[in-house]
């Protein structure tokens, strides 16, 4: 007579047997794209691309500040209600 096959492991036991590195959250989209970029581009190209993106962000920041300053100047120059 043969022994019965062992009972299948429960899900909790199966997951507890996994290495702790697999329990970590998967990388973000940004991290995955940077990893792909690292594989596809050489170091100089990667640096140039990051520098270009930083310049774009800085230009946007300056443009926003310029628009805010312009609207404040226009508001200050506009004639307001006069006191009676």
């Amino acid at each position: 007579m043969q022994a019965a096959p062992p009972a299948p492991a429960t899900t909790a036991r199966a997951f507890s047997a996994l290495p702790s590195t697999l329990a970590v959250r998967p990388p973000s989209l940004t991290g995955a794209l940077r990893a792909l970029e690292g594989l596809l581009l050489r170091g100089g190209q990667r640096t140039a691309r990051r520098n270009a993106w930083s310049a774009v962000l800085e230009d946007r920041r300056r443009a926003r500040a310029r628009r805010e300053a312009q609207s404040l100047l226009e508001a200050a120059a506009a004639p307001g209600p006069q006191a009676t």
Side-chain angles (χ1 to χ4, degrees):
M1 186 183 230
Q2 273 185 312
T10 63
T11 306
R13 260 193 275 158
F15 282 118
S16 66
L18 292 176
S20 62
T21 56
L22 294 179
V24 177
R25 288 179 26 180
S28 66
L29 179 60
T30 303
L33 289 175
R34 284 194 189 251
L36 181 62
E37 178 187 50
L39 291 173
L40 298 177
L41 299 177
R42 301 183 75 154
Q45 290 173 328
R46 184 172 50 242
T47 301
R49 184 180 299 264
R50 284 187 188 146
N51 288 344
W53 183 245
S54 294
V56 167
L57 294 178
E58 184 62 23
D59 286 346
R60 289 178 182 175
R61 187 193 64 76
R62 272 190 246 128
R64 187 179 320 119
R66 192 171 45 249
R67 283 191 306 269
E68 290 171 358
Q70 182 67 30
S71 66
L72 288 174
L73 288 172
E74 288 173 355
Q82 296 180 357
T84 55

